[in-house]
Amino acid sequence: MTTTGSTPPTLPETLARLRGAQKGHARGAPAYSVYVNRRIGRLFAAVAYRWGLTPNQVTMVSALHTFAGIAVIATVPPSWWAGAVVAALLVAGYAWDSADGQVARLRGGGSIAGEWLDHFVDAVKIASLHLAVLVGLYRFGDVDEVVLLVPIGFSVVATATFFGMILNDLLKAARGVASTHARAGGTFARSMLLLPTDFGVLCLAFVLWGASPLFLLVYGALFAVNALFLCAAAVKWFREMRRVD
């Protein structure tokens, strides 16, 4: 069904357009991002489009949710309700982050400035989330000082991983080589295997923020898996760069 004149499309029609314009997911995309976050983001994008929001405005909505959650981690004593609020804000922020690109496609394409803003906000949130955990544990947690090294290490790993992915794509594009994360789809098994590296899983882990021992166990395990992933990925990326040379 199509609309005529100036009548705006209905929500189901907008969702149908989004499904038709949806890009394939990157080969390295983990399961939550592909099967959960993208679908929530599609709904948010349809609503944002009907509200007349621009992609950059959607990016800022994402940032408001995300940084509100980060602020709660650093300023509010851990509790079950604080953890639920943090997880909800981070999950919503992540879904809105998926929505901005989908809104851009509905409006006929994005811009370089919009892509820069999206990546800039991502870079800030990736580093500051773990630093907020460090502050929260230091202020409110009865933990050994060694434990405080975990969020510091996680911030380094997350930031280096994000920068490595962006740098790979930039260097390859400059030489006309297909991106490391070309959107060629991927297997379900691969997506599930990479689930612990998914930012969405990290967001959900904050449900346990009020149960410090359990949160630290899950958070520490995610840090270990992400650190191992970065080590393996760095070797792979360097070999790819040598082939490009």
Side-chain angles (χ1 to χ4, degrees):
M1 179 178 178
T2 59
T3 59
T4 60
S6 59
T7 304
T10 65
L11 185 61
E13 289 170 343
T14 306
L15 287 169
R17 284 183 58 189
L18 278 169
R19 282 191 292 269
Q22 189 72 68
K23 291 182 178 180
H25 62 268
R27 291 182 63 251
Y32 180 91
S33 292
V34 174
Y35 302 110
V36 179
N37 193 62
R38 176 179 288 190
R39 294 178 182 180
I40 301 174
R42 184 184 301 154
L43 176 60
F44 285 1
V47 172
Y49 181 71
R50 286 180 55 79
W51 285 351
L53 297 181
T54 66
N56 288 351
Q57 289 172 331
V58 174
T59 298
M60 297 315 298
V61 171
S62 169
L64 286 173
H65 282 83
T66 298
F67 292 115
I70 290 173
V72 173
I73 295 171
T75 60
V76 178
S79 64
W80 68 267
W81 68 265
V85 168
V86 169
L89 287 169
L90 294 179
V91 166
Y94 192 35
W96 280 110
D97 185 35
S98 172
D100 56 9
Q102 299 187 59
V103 171
R105 286 191 288 279
L106 280 174
R107 293 168 63 94
S111 65
I112 293 176
E115 187 172 359
W116 179 90
L117 180 64
D118 185 31
H119 289 328
F120 182 80
V121 171
D122 284 344
V124 176
K125 82 178 181 185
I126 286 170
S128 59
L129 174 60
H130 300 289
L131 297 181
V133 173
L134 172 65
V135 172
L137 291 176
Y138 179 78
R139 293 185 64 194
F140 308 116
D142 183 17
V143 297
D144 191 278
E145 290 182 355
V146 175
V147 174
L148 299 179
L149 296 176
V150 176
I152 296 174
F154 213 151
S155 182
V156 172
V157 166
T159 303
T161 301
F162 179 73
F163 177 76
M165 291 179 177
I166 297 298
L167 185 61
N168 287 345
D169 292 347
L170 287 174
L171 292 176
K172 287 188 171 185
R175 290 161 178 78
V177 179
S179 167
T180 302
H181 295 86
R183 296 183 179 276
T187 65
F188 178 77
R190 180 186 178 91
S191 292
M192 291 301 297
L193 183 64
L194 293 172
L195 191 57
T197 68
D198 199 316
F199 184 76
V201 173
L202 178 61
C203 295
L204 293 173
F206 283 93
V207 170
L208 304 173
W209 181 239
S212 253
L214 188 54
F215 171 78
L216 289 173
L217 179 64
V218 173
Y219 184 76
L222 291 176
F223 165 58
V225 172
N226 279 268
L228 289 173
F229 171 81
L230 177 59
C231 291
V235 173
K236 177 178 180 292
W237 294 338
F238 182 72
R239 289 174 177 170
E240 289 177 348
M241 292 302 114
R242 294 193 67 174
R243 285 197 294 271
V244 170
D245 283 337

